[in-house]
Amino acid sequence: MSDAGGSESITVPEGFTLHTENTSHILISSKEEAFLNPVQEFNRDLSVACIRVWSEELNREKEAKWMRSQERRAKREGGGEAETGQQKEQKKAKTASTEPSNGPGDDLPGDVPTAGSTSEGNKREYRPHRFVLLEALSATGLRSIRYAKEIPLVRFVIANDLSASATAAMKRNVELNGLGPSSLDPADSASSSVVSEHQHLPNRGKVRINEGDACALMYNHRTEKTRVDVVDLDPYGTAAPFIDGAVQCVNDGGLLCVTCTDLSVLATTNYHEKCFSNYGGIPVKAEYCHEAALRLVLNTLSTSAGRYGRYIEPLLCLSIDFYVRLFVRVHSAPIEVKKTASKTAMYYICQGCQSFYEQPLGRTVEKVHERSGNVNLQFKTQAGPPVPQKCTECGSTLHVAGPMWSGSLHNNSFISQVLEHLENNQDKYSTAVRMKGMLTVANEELHVPFYFTPSRIAGFFHSVCPPLDDVAYVVISEIENTHAHALKHHFRSALLNAGHTVSRSHALPGSLKTGATRQDVHDVFRSWVKKHPVRMDKVSETSLARQLLAKEARTEANFTRHPRSVTQASKVKLVRYQQNPAPNWGPGTKADSGTKRKREEENE
């Protein structure tokens, strides 16, 4: 059934309720046969936008490659050189390899390739590349349905779930949205001339449903002919069991979308042994624990891909509400895999002032040849550790965290493209306002680990925050704490005046990231305390504040307003940090029927 008439034209059977999200409709059974969390609409909106922008970029890359191959072909044909039979065969093979392909599903029965070229006489035209997407844990199928309806370059979506009741719900919802076998484009109509690599799929619609184990399905798609272009992992809990299969079954340059909701494991040390078994690293217990969670998951993706000669390119990695969401491209290149160690680090975390000290696992050295100018890479081990057994700032004990990803979390070019797409399509996303705010902050974010909040450091020093009058010119978000924002402005100016870089962090309201060391940050506060003295008679002899104040600032901080203390984006009123969308909200409860694949309890 088409939704052209809107949800009003849909008859809702008894025992079901109709849930509408954007242009998609699904029927939810009162028996909770499949899991759906309405709060995750922001996640789904963001995923649609990111996959759509990625698909357009991939299509441009394939078109540019096709154009280059055509130019080479024209030069060869225009040269009029005689070719031997062997040369002709080599030319045919080379042309076939350089023309863009659809990847998995190219040889589906009767499917006509949609990327490559058509020819009329001597004229050849490029056809847009259409891609295949695999959602390994689909539940109600809402996410797959939205992908099929809202992303123009989707060829088809493979929607999988282990639960029979969930796949039954998917079939019902797919038909409700008119995405069954009858939804195929004429170019994808059936023909029996070619053997299908996906013939095990039970239907041939725009959304093709599979009932089975997610890992087994992805392992069945790990050969070059059967790989898919996008893999979406959105489990209830950890995505760790599915990552190995996912990094193998995605095409070169393909997109991996990963959600993890087990922040009770990733973002605290309460279950560090569980975090190590799932993600191969020890988590952080500090205010920047949510960024550390992102870096732990990225390290898992990176090491998993590296086993197969592949490496990751983070496009957008966000800590959102009760989960993390990552968009990562996967490529194959042995030389890039060798650089992974230099993008991986252990961290020594102070349990007192939360200072951190980075210990990279490796380093990459570039050596330029004097005569040829060629750059040779040498991969070295890293000396360490960077600190003694106690924190150099406050003398507290250090705890080891990691290994985790130490490279960038975002690709600014990609985020800018998503923001441009969002600006032109705001009416297509219900959560467009929040998307714009969070993406704007992420785009400004420095590519350094970890953030801090001036208000937290004020607590370490037992100091006061500046009064409101000092920040009358600062655009204050309705959601951020006013005093924290005031202090943040002073910190921004002091650090900028000292020559350091400063930005916000998307992960926590009122937070800052800087290229300065934690010692530099503390020196700024020591200068602040001189102007706003702390009552030492109220400070214990053994307190953290006394230890921090015992050291003198190396330089006097300049709190004069810096021109860049308020960024251009800060002058625009944006919802950068979301309020709770509903009372008693959160990740929700798992479906009774076991929609998602049975896995270990997070906190065992």
Side-chain angles (χ1 to χ4, degrees):
M1 169 185 262
S2 172
D3 70 334
S7 59
E8 297 83 359
S9 62
I10 298 175
T11 302
V12 181
E14 186 177 351
F16 292 88
T17 57
L18 181 68
H19 177 81
T20 299
E21 193 170 291
N22 209 343
T23 60
S24 302
H25 316 289
I26 63 170
L27 295 172
I28 302 175
S29 171
S30 57
K31 298 178 182 179
E32 296 185 356
E33 59 186 9
F35 177 79
L36 173 71
N37 190 354
V39 174
Q40 287 274 45
E41 183 176 3
F42 175 76
N43 185 326
R44 290 184 283 269
D45 279 355
L46 184 66
S47 299
V48 169
C50 288
I51 296 173
R52 181 168 178 174
V53 169
W54 163 85
S55 67
E56 292 168 354
E57 176 64 23
L58 180 68
N59 185 56
R60 284 191 291 270
E61 292 174 2
K62 288 186 175 292
E63 184 175 9
K65 184 177 180 181
W66 182 85
M67 290 295 293
R68 289 194 298 270
S69 71
Q70 295 305 302
E71 289 174 2
R72 290 194 296 269
R73 178 174 179 168
K75 287 181 180 178
R76 287 195 301 268
E77 293 177 350
E81 297 177 358
E83 295 179 329
T84 65
Q86 184 179 2
Q87 288 174 330
K88 290 180 179 179
E89 290 298 321
Q90 290 175 348
K91 184 177 74 171
K92 288 180 181 179
K94 189 175 181 180
T95 303
S97 65
T98 55
E99 289 187 357
S101 68
N102 280 320
D106 277 348
D107 48 359
L108 285 167
D111 282 357
V112 177
T114 55
S117 64
T118 59
S119 61
E120 296 180 5
N122 294 325
K123 186 178 180 182
R124 298 172 63 85
E125 294 181 356
Y126 173 80
R127 293 195 201 175
H129 172 77
R130 295 172 62 198
F131 68 94
V132 178
L133 186 151
L134 188 155
E135 189 190 4
L137 306 151
S138 298
T140 61
L142 176 58
R143 188 181 291 263
S144 292
I145 291 168
R146 288 197 58 183
Y147 289 160
K149 296 182 74 172
E150 299 177 36
I151 304 177
L153 292 176
V154 166
R155 189 175 185 192
F156 63 85
V157 179
I158 302 172
N160 175 76
D161 207 285
L162 183 63
S163 166
S165 59
T167 53
M170 275 193 277
K171 291 175 183 176
R172 181 173 60 241
N173 294 328
V174 166
E175 291 299 327
L176 180 69
N177 287 272
L179 297 172
S182 60
S183 67
L184 287 174
D185 293 336
D188 294 326
S189 59
S191 168
S192 58
S193 59
V194 186
V195 178
S196 172
E197 294 289 351
H198 295 275
Q199 59 188 350
H200 62 281
L201 297 177
N203 66 63
R204 309 218 3 101
K206 192 76 175 285
V207 177
R208 306 182 182 185
I209 300 168
N210 183 74
E211 180 183 329
D213 180 85
C215 290
L217 177 65
M218 289 187 287
Y219 285 132
N220 285 335
H221 286 78
R222 60 183 173 177
T223 63
E224 288 191 14
K225 288 185 178 181
T226 59
R227 280 178 177 167
V228 297
D229 298 288
V230 182
V231 176
D232 193 317
L233 301 177
D234 184 38
Y236 185 94
T238 178
F242 313 105
I243 288 175
D244 184 73
V247 296
Q248 293 184 70
C249 78
V250 67
N251 266 322
D252 276 355
L255 188 66
L256 190 56
C257 314
V258 180
T259 300
C260 293
T261 64
D262 58 333
L263 290 188
S264 61
V265 172
L266 276 166
T268 179
T269 55
N270 291 342
Y271 307 103
H272 64 278
E273 72 287 352
K274 183 64 176 176
C275 184
F276 184 79
S277 63
N278 278 351
Y279 301 100
I282 301 297
V284 167
K285 188 175 183 180
E287 64 173 339
Y288 42 85
C289 59
H290 287 86
E291 182 180 330
L294 283 170
R295 295 184 179 278
L296 284 165
V297 179
L298 277 172
N299 184 60
T300 304
L301 295 172
S302 177
T303 54
S304 298
R307 296 186 186 101
Y308 308 102
R310 318 192 83 183
Y311 71 97
I312 63 168
E313 177 195 357
L315 298 182
L316 178 65
C317 302
L318 299 175
S319 173
I320 309 167
D321 301 333
F322 54 85
Y323 61 93
V324 292
R325 181 67 168 169
L326 301 91
F327 299 90
V328 173
R329 286 191 82 172
V330 179
H331 307 274
S332 295
I335 189 66
E336 294 296 330
V337 175
K338 292 180 180 181
K339 297 178 183 178
T340 302
S342 61
K343 298 178 183 178
T344 308
M346 303 292 293
Y347 289 91
Y348 295 88
I349 311 297
C350 175
Q351 69 175 92
C353 66
Q354 298 188 1
S355 296
F356 63 90
Y357 305 89
E358 183 179 278
Q359 172 63 67
L361 297 188
R363 57 193 176 95
T364 303
V365 179
E366 292 186 356
K367 290 204 171 183
V368 181
H369 195 276
E370 294 181 359
R371 294 182 180 178
S372 65
N374 294 333
V375 178
N376 295 322
L377 298 179
Q378 296 182 351
F379 303 98
K380 307 285 187 179
T381 56
Q382 183 71 34
V387 290
Q389 292 184 342
K390 301 289 185 179
C391 175
T392 57
E393 282 296 289
C394 68
S396 299
T397 303
L398 298 175
H399 286 263
V400 178
M404 63 182 73
W405 180 263
S406 60
S408 60
L409 297 178
H410 315 298
N411 181 307
N412 295 105
S413 175
F414 177 78
I415 298 177
S416 297
Q417 290 179 59
V418 178
L419 282 169
E420 182 180 354
H421 164 76
L422 189 62
E423 191 68 30
N424 298 328
N425 298 274
Q426 290 195 44
D427 57 330
K428 296 181 180 179
Y429 303 101
S430 300
T431 61
V433 174
R434 186 188 180 190
M435 286 172 64
K436 183 178 180 181
M438 179 164 278
L439 290 170
T440 300
V441 176
N443 204 24
E444 294 177 350
E445 198 167 317
L446 291 176
H447 300 297
V448 296
F450 294 113
Y451 57 83
F452 68 93
T453 53
S455 56
R456 175 64 67 91
I457 296 181
F460 292 156
F461 279 84
H462 283 210
S463 180
V464 296
C465 293
L468 280 174
D469 293 340
D470 289 351
V471 288
Y473 47 80
V474 179
V475 179
I476 299 175
S477 169
E478 299 171 330
I479 301 168
E480 291 181 323
N481 177 274
T482 301
H483 287 284
H485 195 91
L487 186 57
K488 179 174 68 177
H489 166 75
H490 282 270
F491 254 98
R492 287 177 71 100
S493 291
L495 291 170
L496 288 167
N497 287 328
H500 302 297
T501 51
V502 187
S503 74
R504 294 173 181 260
S505 169
H506 76 276
L508 185 69
S511 60
L512 293 177
K513 299 187 80 170
T514 178
T517 65
R518 190 53 63 99
Q519 186 179 10
D520 294 325
V521 172
H522 287 168
D523 281 348
V524 171
F525 226 104
R526 291 182 181 108
S527 298
W528 174 262
V529 168
K530 286 183 179 180
K531 297 182 178 181
H532 304 82
V534 174
R535 290 194 54 181
M536 299 303 293
D537 58 318
K538 300 291 185 180
V539 179
S540 168
E541 291 292 334
T542 59
S543 74
L544 175 62
R546 191 170 287 275
Q547 299 297 321
L548 291 171
L549 290 168
K551 298 181 68 174
E552 288 291 329
R554 295 166 298 171
T555 57
E556 190 69 23
N558 178 10
F559 293 98
T560 304
R561 183 186 179 189
H562 193 279
R564 297 200 308 273
S565 63
V566 181
T567 63
Q568 187 65 33
S570 297
K571 297 175 183 178
V572 182
K573 196 171 185 179
L574 296 173
V575 180
R576 296 175 178 83
Y577 306 100
Q578 184 72 0
Q579 291 177 309
N580 290 351
N584 306 315
W585 73 289
T589 56
K590 201 172 183 179
D592 292 339
S593 64
T595 302
K596 302 298 183 187
R597 186 169 180 251
K598 290 185 179 179
R599 58 189 72 95
E600 294 178 336
E601 291 296 327
E602 295 176 11
N603 302 335
E604 69 176 9

